Amino acid sequence: MYIFESRVRYSETDAQGRLTAEKLIDYFQDCSTFQSEENGVGVAEMRARGLAWIIVYWRVEILRMPRLGERIRIGTIPYAMKGGIGLRNFFMETAPGEAGERLANANSVWTLVDIHTMRPVRIPADVLERYPLGQRLQMQYDARKIRLPAEPGISRPDVTVREYHLDTNRHMNNGQYVRIAAGLLPSGADVRTLRIEYRRQAVLGDRITPVVYSGLSGEETDQADIVCVSLNAKDGKPYAVLEAELQIYHKN
């Protein structure tokens, strides 16, 4: 297990002063990166070997989004590594001295790839040794394939991948997909669960067409609903698919 502490910044919050979904993902990504750096198998070391970790799936269960100024702890637990696949849990909770409240849990699936061919490779034995495995969290675990609704979705304006979207692998950072998709979710809703499946890598200059599939019933009652956003390439196939379970609040 690896843990670091932080505090929710103004730049990380939405109009209600709460941490945003993409910043939650950023915290989790940073946590695993910090662990790798401290274990001597960080970004530069892996790149020197011609290797990189690529995330292929998230499931994030949000109990409560922290608010501006709250002190938080972010942790990660690698719990299985075999072949070219690594499985990691993440959690966010209020920091010691606060309420001691669990805020979010997550499961993630990563694959190690050759950066020249982008094909999966077996995790080297010395890299495996740097990640002591722990007990996985008690949360829901599911298949990583997200099925889009059969009904047609609604296309939204294209997004062009810019330099600021990219990570050190020169691909669009996984949190940026979440930022685009989360911006298309209905207002007046709390995100309970996020599932994100990454199917291909977007690079500089690619145009992404978001397509929104809404399960909203339109009933004037508080309800949980599922909304999917497919972030498509010009051939119509997704770079990534996001599924959000929302708590919808209707005003009287």
Side-chain angles (χ1 to χ4, degrees), residues 159-163 166 202-208 239:
V159 176
T160 300
V161 178
R162 306 295 187 188
E163 189 74 27
L166 305 181
V203 298
L204 185 66
D206 283 350
R207 294 183 69 83
I208 298 174
Y239 290 110

Side-chain angles (χ1 to χ4, degrees), residues 3-242:
I3 293 174
F4 80 98
E5 296 188 5
S6 188
R7 191 175 185 184
V8 178
R9 300 164 175 83
Y10 184 75
S11 58
E12 298 170 337
T13 59
D14 60 16
Q16 286 73 47
R18 299 178 301 184
L19 186 70
T20 63
E22 66 268 23
K23 293 302 181 182
L24 176 63
I25 295 291
D26 285 347
Y27 268 118
F28 289 160
Q29 179 176 249
D30 288 344
C31 189
S32 59
T33 302
F34 291 158
Q35 183 186 35
S36 296
E37 293 292 332
E38 292 195 13
N39 287 357
V41 284
V43 173
E45 170 62 23
M46 297 300 281
R47 177 167 290 277
R49 301 185 187 203
L51 302 173
W53 286 104
I54 302 294
I55 190 163
V56 295
Y57 179 75
W58 283 106
R59 178 185 175 86
V60 183
E61 298 176 353
I62 300 169
L63 306 175
R64 178 179 71 83
M65 280 297 199
R67 302 191 70 85
L68 171 65
E70 281 197 74
R71 299 183 186 278
I72 51 177
R73 299 201 321 161
I74 304 92
T76 185
I77 307 168
Y79 65 87
M81 287 191 171
K82 187 175 181 180
I85 299 295
L87 305 180
R88 279 183 176 271
N89 283 144
F90 294 86
F91 62 87
M92 178 180 283
E93 60 190 16
T94 52
E98 305 289 330
E101 176 188 359
R102 181 61 59 93
L103 302 170
N105 294 316
N107 186 46
S108 62
V109 180
W110 303 71
T111 185
L112 189 66
V113 300
D114 181 310
I115 60 176
H116 304 294
T117 65
M118 295 308 295
R119 296 182 65 85
V121 297
R122 182 173 292 275
I123 305 169
D126 67 309
V127 174
L128 285 172
E129 293 173 356
R130 307 295 180 94
Y131 294 105
L133 302 182
Q135 187 71 30
R136 74 178 191 175
L137 297 178
Q138 292 186 352
M139 61 176 292
Q140 183 173 328
Y141 294 85
D142 48 23
R144 70 190 196 204
K145 183 72 173 179
I146 298 176
R147 295 184 179 276
L148 292 171
E151 298 77 11
I154 300 174
S155 296
R156 304 300 296 270
D158 287 356
V159 176
T160 300
V161 178
R162 306 295 187 188
E163 189 74 27
Y164 59 82
H165 290 123
L166 305 181
D167 59 20
T168 55
N169 298 316
R170 302 297 296 174
H171 299 140
M172 187 156 140
N173 183 273
N174 73 82
Q176 294 289 348
Y177 295 95
V178 178
R179 182 184 65 81
I180 294 169
L184 300 173
L185 298 177
S187 59
D190 288 340
V191 179
R192 288 180 168 180
T193 303
L194 281 175
R195 297 174 64 220
I196 308 109
E197 180 192 357
Y198 299 95
R199 299 187 182 179
R200 58 205 293 197
Q201 300 289 327
V203 298
L204 185 66
D206 283 350
R207 294 183 69 83
I208 298 174
T209 302
V211 181
V212 180
Y213 301 81
S214 177
L216 301 180
S217 65
E219 296 177 4
E220 293 300 316
T221 57
D222 290 355
Q223 57 188 307
D225 263 304
I226 302 296
V227 176
C228 291
V229 181
S230 184
L231 301 175
N232 294 346
K234 61 182 180 181
D235 62 5
K237 297 180 180 180
Y239 290 110
V241 178
L242 179 143

